[in-house]
Amino acid sequence: MMSQAYTNGLYYIKQVAEMTGMSKQVIRKWEERYGLIQPIRLENGYRMYSEKDISILLTVKELSEQGHSIKQAAALAKKKLTSINMNLSREQESTLHYKEWNDYVLQMLQKGAHCDELELTLILQQAYYQLGLDRFIKLVVIPFLTQVGSRWEKGEWSEYQEALSSLVVRDFLVQIRRNYQCRQEAPLIVGACLPYEQHEIPLHILLLQCMMKGWKTILIGASPAPGSIESLVQKLKPAKVLLSAVTTIPFEKDPHLVENLDQFAAENQKTQFYLGGAGAIQYLSDKALRAIYVTNSIEEIADSSEK
């Protein structure tokens, strides 16, 4: 069950520390030295922070990680907030703030820090039913996973915290895909990680976005056996194939992988092949393919005019 702080939209400093990945000492220091935030003080002396306070802290944290001093980051954050207040209506400001750091993401960061699998699932469920699939993906799933990856890379989260949080999201997306109803005559997209690629969550997200645009989808799981993609494509004859490589590991393990897949795509011209992901973009930055489109644009992949 969620704490009373959540229902009031206010958070104790311990919760803020878990949400932001910052220590309580740093939060107090930034508050007192730079006047960034003004938490409410309860009668017992405890500080209570709003979502706006947390958003400011996260903004300053990100700016400092980009190379700004804390003083510079604080000034930039204040300037940004002033600009928002001057140029946006109250409703627009609320929408912008919600997109950046909404309550669902903040709650999930806290529960992820504690590796609370049940609470993570319950928050995902609540957000999904409250927002609808499209907004759920854009405003909750993607921002949360971005923060999870960032905190693991910086050493703020352990490998176990990162893995559990990611797996909870993956399992939830799998259930949505399984229960999503598509027309029998809808065109088919096959999604597949490249061999040796373990990160399948981006594909779940992309395939769900394609399903919302009227496609049927089939997913080949993480690190498929060499040749399995080609076999399934020959059997199912999909309209499109979406390949994913978040890392460069597939290309390092098999230097001829892309060349062979590109040749296969050239021999199956009735099917359009797409390859995306940070690893693919990096590896193929100076290489040209004949028959595979390299892209990270869901609009290009799922455009209904190409069905």
Side-chain angles (χ1 to χ4, degrees), residues 1-12 15 19 103-108 110-111 116 118-128 130:
M1 181 177 293
M2 296 179 190
S3 68
Q4 184 66 28
Y6 287 141
T7 62
N8 294 333
L10 297 173
Y11 305 86
Y12 294 106
Q15 295 171 310
M19 293 171 181
D103 194 40
Y104 293 118
V105 176
L106 297 177
Q107 291 178 38
M108 289 181 66
Q110 186 195 22
K111 299 306 179 183
D116 192 331
L118 175 59
E119 282 295 327
L120 281 170
T121 302
L122 291 175
I123 296 168
L124 285 169
Q125 180 176 287
Q126 183 182 22
Y128 174 52
Q130 179 68 33

Side-chain angles (χ1 to χ4, degrees), residues 187-191 207 210 215-218 238-242 301-302:
L188 176 65
I189 286 182
V190 169
L207 291 180
C210 289
W215 294 85
K216 288 191 302 185
T217 67
I218 289 179
K240 299 187 180 186
V241 174
L242 174 55
I301 295 167

Side-chain angles (χ1 to χ4, degrees), residues 199-232:
H199 295 79
E200 64 180 83
I201 294 180
L203 270 178
H204 284 291
I205 293 172
L206 287 171
L207 291 180
L208 276 170
Q209 290 174 318
C210 289
M211 293 171 81
M212 285 187 283
K213 291 177 178 287
W215 294 85
K216 288 191 302 185
T217 67
I218 289 179
L219 174 65
I220 303 177
S223 189
S228 59
I229 295 173
E230 293 91 331
S231 296
L232 191 62

Side-chain angles (χ1 to χ4, degrees), residues 6 49 60 119 129 157 190 198 269 280 285:
Y6 287 141
Y49 298 82
V60 173
E119 282 295 327
Y129 287 118
W157 275 22
V190 169
Q198 298 289 341
Q269 296 184 4
S285 60

Side-chain angles (χ1 to χ4, degrees), residues 15-23 58 61 109 151 156-157:
Q15 295 171 310
V16 176
E18 292 165 344
M19 293 171 181
T20 61
M22 299 163 57
S23 68
L58 286 166
K61 180 184 177 186
L109 288 171
R151 293 182 184 200
E156 296 174 1
W157 275 22

Side-chain angles (χ1 to χ4, degrees), residues 139-170:
L139 303 182
V140 178
V141 173
I142 294 175
F144 175 66
L145 290 175
T146 300
Q147 278 296 307
V148 169
S150 174
R151 293 182 184 200
W152 176 73
E153 289 177 356
K154 296 170 189 170
E156 296 174 1
W157 275 22
S158 68
E159 185 171 340
Y160 180 67
Q161 288 171 309
E162 184 273 338
L164 182 138
S165 297
S166 298
L167 287 173
V168 169
V169 174
R170 185 203 67 181

